[in-house]
Amino acid sequence: MKINNLFKITCLSAGLVLASCSDDDDTPGVQIDEPTNYVFERNGESSVSFGGQTTRIAMAEEIIDAFKDSEKTEAILDNMFAHQKGANDFTEASLNESSKSVRSKTAASKDYFSVNVGEASAIKEEFDAWIAGQANEVFPNWNTEATAGVAGFIQEAGGGSTRYVNAKGLEYNQAFAKSLIGGLMTDQALNNYLGKSVLDDANNVEDNNNGVVAEGKNYTTMEHKWDEAYGYLFGAAPDRAKPLASIGSGSDQKGDDSFLSKYLDRVNDDSDFTGIADDIYQAFKLGRAAIVAKEYTVRDEQAAIIREKISQVIAVRAVYYLQQGKNALDATTVDHATAFHDLSEGYGFIYSLQFTRKPNSDAPYLTRTQVQGLIGQLMGGTNGLWDVTPATLQAISEAIANEFNFTVAQAGS
């Protein structure tokens, strides 16, 4: 069986799915019972579980909020990032009692980092450095007006928001938050839970074929791993079985968290990319149904769609923020606060590109070395963002867009 176009699975319906999209007339059809919503049951009870992902999203929300509190210390922020069970790191008691942490799953996918442990350690250390920078460079200068070479606050024109930047104009909170979209959510979903090395590990295929559930659970291990990937995108949704209710409904919608859900909404709201949210949701749903039906070729085809589409979300937002920063610097009266805010978000999305995944491959769209090169162009002047030019931002934008199937004009609007 072949599915020749990952974006046009036109033979699917919400009920009984005929996943025989081959051009070969003699290919037998595969019947998969696909539900209308992400609802899967065994013995009359839900077999869907991704509580760990919901927990880590909630922890990450509190961490990025703490970046805005100048009373926090480096130790407090470090402890929130590398939470230990029972530590009083969060406002929610359930998070404090959890054994999970954000740091442990950052740059921790099996496909990308099980062997390359040195790179994983270097990435974790970069997140640690952003925490240290916020605590030791920005917080002490909370009431100092920022200038080139001096950390502090910078006010947007017209009484807009106050931004807090390091000596090079970078908002560490934005760099941390947007890089976490790649380093945690994307890496775990695309390069861990959707990978064959995790889905088909050990006895997973045999157990799934025979309906053998994990000990004390109502799901097979393979089902659970797929659900965990789903949870990193939709784990904060009020209705996690049909999460698109808060995505793609207009500019007042913001998704359900500050991470992948939010920016999937933003990209889906762009007329050039409308429908991407449903494409991803349908692929998650069909892939899960394929696991139930023991149709692993269909499962892997859906994983390829998810990898391509989520990777595109990150690339589109990287280019979008670079273009917004470029526009602010090109204005007759330059608003550095607005420009630096956009470029700090762009910095994080560029950083996240190293965690993307080309479908049907083991490689990101842009390697870590390439990403470091782009960040070097963005921050390479003596004073970082204070020195960057619109021409440089355009060049970086084009370099990213060229790796994906869109134009700078499409992403930048």
Side-chain angles (χ1 to χ4, degrees):
M1 184 188 67
K2 302 176 184 176
I3 295 180
N4 294 325
N5 188 331
L6 294 177
F7 300 102
K8 296 180 180 178
I9 310 179
T10 56
C11 56
L12 302 182
S13 67
L16 189 66
V17 177
L18 301 179
S20 58
C21 301
S22 173
D23 290 335
D24 302 325
D25 293 337
D26 59 348
T27 302
V30 175
Q31 293 189 332
I32 299 175
D33 190 11
E34 183 187 9
T36 302
N37 298 315
Y38 200 89
V39 176
F40 298 91
E41 295 183 340
R42 177 175 283 104
N43 300 324
E45 296 182 358
S46 176
S47 62
V48 177
S49 176
F50 45 81
Q53 287 61 49
T54 302
T55 292
R56 286 193 177 89
I57 290 171
M59 287 178 170
E61 294 282 11
E62 289 211 24
I63 294 168
I64 62 173
D65 283 344
F67 264 80
K68 304 170 189 175
D69 182 355
S70 62
E71 297 300 314
K72 293 288 192 289
T73 65
E74 182 180 357
I76 289 172
L77 295 175
D78 281 340
N79 290 341
M80 295 178 76
F81 187 39
H83 174 69
Q84 298 292 315
K85 182 177 181 179
N88 190 31
D89 295 324
F90 302 102
T91 60
E92 291 186 31
S94 62
L95 300 184
N96 292 329
E97 291 306 312
S98 175
S99 60
K100 304 184 186 307
S101 78
V102 174
R103 191 181 194 276
S104 67
K105 291 295 185 179
T106 299
S109 66
K110 189 171 183 179
D111 284 356
Y112 277 10
F113 300 108
S114 61
V115 174
N116 201 350
V117 293
E119 188 169 294
S121 295
I123 290 168
K124 286 181 169 68
E125 289 169 3
E126 285 164 352
F127 280 87
D128 293 338
W130 294 325
I131 287 174
Q134 187 73 358
N136 302 320
E137 300 168 29
V138 177
F139 285 167
N141 285 337
W142 205 247
N143 297 312
T144 300
E145 187 170 3
T147 56
V150 177
F153 73 87
I154 186 168
Q155 182 72 43
E156 288 183 348
S161 298
T162 302
R163 308 299 181 183
Y164 297 90
V165 301
N166 71 359
K168 291 193 172 186
L170 181 69
E171 289 182 272
Y172 283 125
N173 64 315
Q174 293 299 331
F176 186 98
K178 274 51 181 184
S179 296
L180 206 59
I181 291 173
L184 175 64
M185 290 79 181
T186 299
D187 184 51
Q188 283 294 297
L190 306 193
N191 309 317
N192 197 61
Y193 294 121
L194 295 184
K196 287 187 178 182
S197 63
V198 170
L199 290 171
D200 296 346
D201 187 37
N203 297 324
N204 288 359
V205 174
E206 180 181 357
D207 287 349
N208 195 71
N209 286 341
N210 294 314
V212 177
V213 298
E215 184 177 356
K217 304 298 182 182
N218 196 40
Y219 48 70
T220 69
T221 298
M222 188 188 294
E223 290 170 341
H224 182 49
K225 297 306 179 185
W226 187 273
D227 291 340
E228 289 185 291
Y230 178 90
Y232 272 117
L233 181 53
F234 298 123
D239 186 344
R240 294 162 196 172
K242 43 183 180 179
L244 298 193
S246 59
I247 289 179
S249 302
S251 59
D252 290 339
Q253 301 297 328
K254 296 183 179 180
D256 298 305
D257 60 39
S258 300
F259 306 102
L260 265 181
S261 176
K262 176 178 179 176
Y263 292 100
L264 176 58
D265 172 82
R266 291 291 187 267
V267 174
N268 193 80
D269 221 25
D270 184 329
S271 60
D272 290 304
F273 303 99
T274 299
I276 192 171
D278 190 59
D279 289 342
I280 293 170
Y281 176 66
Q282 296 299 334
F284 265 120
K285 187 157 58 70
L286 177 54
R288 181 60 157 80
I291 291 173
V292 174
K294 307 172 184 58
E295 293 294 343
Y296 305 123
T297 298
V298 177
R299 177 201 71 181
D300 295 340
E301 288 164 345
Q302 304 318 299
I305 293 171
I306 295 165
R307 283 170 168 160
E308 184 163 12
K309 295 289 189 174
I310 287 180
S311 296
Q312 187 181 52
V313 168
I314 291 172
V316 168
R317 292 311 285 187
V319 173
Y320 171 83
Y321 283 118
L322 290 171
Q323 290 297 298
Q324 293 302 301
K326 173 177 173 283
N327 293 340
L329 292 179
D330 262 339
T332 303
T333 302
V334 175
D335 182 350
H336 283 105
T338 296
F340 293 172
H341 178 64
D342 288 326
L343 295 178
S344 295
E345 294 194 80
Y347 179 110
F349 279 105
I350 293 170
Y351 190 90
S352 287
L353 289 169
Q354 65 191 294
F355 306 102
T356 58
R357 182 77 168 262
K358 293 180 180 179
N360 305 312
S361 82
D362 296 324
Y365 282 84
L366 289 165
T367 66
R368 177 166 170 79
T369 298
Q370 290 173 309
V371 165
Q372 288 174 321
L374 295 178
I375 289 176
Q377 293 179 51
L378 181 65
M379 303 298 297
T382 302
N383 293 308
L385 297 180
W386 292 94
D387 295 338
V388 74
T389 66
T392 295
L393 298 177
Q394 183 67 21
I396 299 172
S397 297
E398 291 174 359
I400 295 169
N402 286 342
E403 294 294 330
F404 291 83
N405 211 10
F406 62 81
T407 67
V408 171
Q410 286 175 313
S413 59

